[in-house]
Amino acid sequence: QVQLQESGPGLVKPSQTLSLTCTVSGGSISSGGYYWSWIRQHPGKGLEWIGYIYYSGSTYYNPSLKSRVTISVDTSKNQFSLKLSSVTAADTAVYYCARVLSSGSGTSHWFDPWGQGTLVTVSS
Amino acid sequence: SYELTQPPSVSVSPGQTARITCSGDALPKQYAYWYQQKPGQAPVLVIYKDSERPSGIPERFSGSSSGTTVTLTISGVQAEDEADYYCQSADSSGTVVFGGGTKLTVL
């Protein structure tokens, strides 16, 4: 079964770029059929969708974060990555990666499974 | 921006039925999904496409939809069901949206 694992620095300085990688095991990103997503959760708060990517490189971002987000894919490593620029303390959160499933029409998406999450703190 | 509204908390005694609602204007046109999140753990999908149950999820979890409200029902609640529950859907442009979450307390 597919498993996802996030990795990256747990501490990022304000104004810098947050970079995380999600490694997928038990299945190939390049086999198609799924998007791959990043979602975050501020401490003690709810969930916020960041964006997702297809193995071909097509991306879809949350409009509220679009100007600062880049999601990329490396099929040779079976990984996809998140970059969030110009971070502030408001970007402190647990960041999750997840596989995206879609309805037949492709207009509805949901997330299963999720990685365990990684806490990123923005602080000087 | 589009919002999904959930009650902050629901309390129920063991063996009783818990109902958690999620309201949103686009729900008549968009499927809803439900996730269970226990402390320190990642969310787990418990209902997809309004009422479908993934394999491995107990039958006591069910979902329904009526107009602008979807409902997650947990029948015969067990202590292990105590968790935060989030609904998820999308707006008319396809932007994914999560509800604010509901803390289920098993008394």
Side-chain angles (χ1 to χ4, degrees):
Chain A
Q1 64 183 28
V2 170
Q3 293 183 311
L4 300 92
Q5 177 68 59
E6 305 87 352
S7 59
L11 181 63
V12 180
K13 289 181 167 45
S15 80
Q16 294 190 342
T17 296
L18 177 159
S19 296
L20 296 174
T21 296
C22 182
T23 301
V24 178
S25 58
S28 173
I29 286 179
S30 57
S31 64
Y34 303 104
Y35 285 85
W36 304 89
S37 186
W38 288 98
I39 299 154
R40 70 181 182 179
Q41 185 171 33
H42 296 102
K45 301 295 185 182
L47 300 163
E48 181 180 29
W49 173 66
I50 298 171
Y52 48 64
I53 189 167
Y54 199 54
Y55 78 97
S56 62
S58 298
T59 53
Y60 300 87
Y61 299 138
N62 188 327
S64 68
L65 296 168
K66 186 175 182 178
S67 64
R68 298 194 292 130
V69 172
T70 302
I71 298 177
S72 58
V73 64
D74 186 338
T75 55
S76 68
K77 295 181 179 179
N78 220 33
Q79 296 175 334
F80 62 104
S81 298
L82 169 70
K83 291 188 184 298
L84 181 65
S85 64
S86 304
V87 297
T88 70
D91 295 308
T92 293
V94 174
Y95 286 77
Y96 294 100
C97 58
R99 184 179 64 175
V100 186
L101 294 92
S102 303
S103 63
S105 63
T107 59
S108 189
H109 303 87
W110 64 103
F111 307 97
D112 183 48
W114 299 52
Q116 66 183 29
T118 187
L119 174 63
V120 178
T121 301
V122 178
S123 175
S124 56
Chain B
S1 61
Y2 181 53
E3 293 184 352
L4 296 173
T5 301
Q6 298 180 235
S9 63
V10 168
S11 298
V12 65
S13 299
Q16 299 299 306
T17 297
R19 294 180 179 85
I20 300 172
T21 59
C22 172
S23 299
D25 289 342
L27 289 176
K29 297 183 178 180
Q30 294 280 6
Y31 283 122
Y33 306 88
W34 290 95
Y35 303 88
Q36 176 194 67
Q37 186 179 34
K38 296 181 179 180
Q41 298 184 18
V44 173
L45 180 74
V46 294
I47 293 291
Y48 67 100
K49 291 202 286 186
D50 290 348
S51 60
E52 300 292 324
R53 192 174 55 251
S55 61
I57 300 301
E59 291 184 5
R60 63 180 181 274
F61 288 86
S62 63
S64 61
S65 175
S66 179
T68 59
T69 299
V70 294
T71 302
L72 172 69
T73 300
I74 310 172
S75 303
V77 167
Q78 301 182 5
E80 66 195 52
D81 299 329
E82 185 163 287
D84 293 328
Y85 291 86
Y86 294 91
C87 63
Q88 175 245 311
S89 187
D91 66 14
S92 57
S93 69
T95 298
V96 172
V97 178
F98 289 94
T102 298
K103 181 176 181 60
L104 175 66
T105 299
V106 182
L107 301 170

